[in-house]
Amino acid sequence: MKHNYGWVVVSVAALALSACGGNGDPQPLVTVSDLAAGSYVVSVGDANTPVVGKYYADAAGNRLLVLADSSDRASQLYRREAGKEWVGVPASDKDVAVKLLQSNTLVAKTVDLAAMAGSYTTLVATGTVASFTVQTNGTIVAGTTACKLAGSLSAGTLANTLKLSLTATGCGTTVPASSIGVATVDADFAPASLRLVADNGAQLVDLWAYRQ
């Protein structure tokens, strides 16, 4: 999928921790430049070969930065709950400082939960498809496929997203048994109707769901 983004350069500096010795070594520190409430396109890495990312922020201080690989699948996630520290998934064993040099603002919309009701399929892994239904109240009901995805969607505070709680059984190691995250409605991922991005604190999953 091709994107026509105005590229935004982000410098990501990994700072090595000094050896402290003994027990109680500090956890790696993750920092990400703050943006005002809204939804943004960003990029990281080399300005000549940037990696695309989406940055979501709300007025309460919640933040989410999702970076993608060359296939547009989420490869790294940084999130922050209001009043807490940034968390990276997968985690780094070194301090990470993500400095946003520029940002491109996207149109911020509130996702209508009831409008997302319907039947969906998603490719969980090579050769593994999962079907599920989203009810009008946001409940996710697993379909008849061997891989069972269930959980719930609810109103989100981040623009263009819904809150996601997801459970998976029979899906192999590609999807965590239990994870939380967001469901985004984004024309950049059409014809997918929903993009489910979630993690369990260690593993990240990115599922594109197609309405049936």
Side-chain angles (χ1 to χ4, degrees):
M1 177 168 52
K2 303 288 186 180
H3 296 315
N4 293 319
Y5 295 140
W7 291 112
V8 182
V9 178
V10 180
S11 64
V12 178
L15 306 177
L17 284 173
S18 298
C20 298
N23 295 325
D25 288 351
Q27 294 296 311
L29 178 65
V30 178
T31 59
V32 180
S33 296
D34 212 20
L35 291 176
S39 180
Y40 306 84
V41 177
V42 297
S43 65
V44 303
D46 190 325
N48 295 317
T49 55
V51 177
V52 173
K54 292 291 182 74
Y55 189 116
Y56 307 91
D58 69 13
N62 297 295
R63 300 290 186 269
L64 175 65
L65 172 59
V66 182
L67 304 178
D69 61 19
S70 59
S71 299
D72 288 329
R73 298 288 179 172
S75 59
Q76 179 68 53
L77 175 152
Y78 297 102
R79 55 176 167 80
R80 187 187 74 189
E81 293 183 44
K84 297 184 179 181
E85 300 293 334
W86 281 93
V87 175
V89 181
S92 173
D93 59 358
K94 301 176 181 179
D95 286 357
V96 176
V98 182
K99 296 182 180 180
L100 306 181
L101 303 179
Q102 293 180 315
S103 60
N104 284 358
T105 305
L106 300 173
V107 176
K109 298 179 181 180
T110 299
V111 180
D112 182 355
L113 177 59
M116 295 298 102
S119 298
Y120 297 85
T121 59
T122 183
L123 183 65
V124 175
T126 303
T128 302
V129 174
S131 63
F132 62 89
T133 299
V134 176
Q135 299 179 338
T136 55
N137 66 354
T139 300
I140 300 173
V141 180
T144 58
T145 51
C147 172
K148 305 290 186 184
L149 298 177
S152 64
L153 297 174
S154 59
T157 61
L158 299 173
N160 306 329
T161 74
L162 295 168
K163 290 182 180 178
L164 169 67
S165 176
L166 189 67
T167 61
T169 56
C171 302
T173 60
T174 304
V175 185
S178 178
S179 57
I180 58 173
V182 298
T184 68
V185 178
D186 191 331
D188 289 333
F189 298 95
S193 299
L194 285 172
R195 184 191 188 194
L196 310 180
V197 180
D199 73 89
N200 64 355
Q203 183 181 358
L204 173 63
V205 63
D206 181 7
L207 301 175
W208 298 5
Y210 299 83
R211 193 185 290 270
Q212 299 302 293

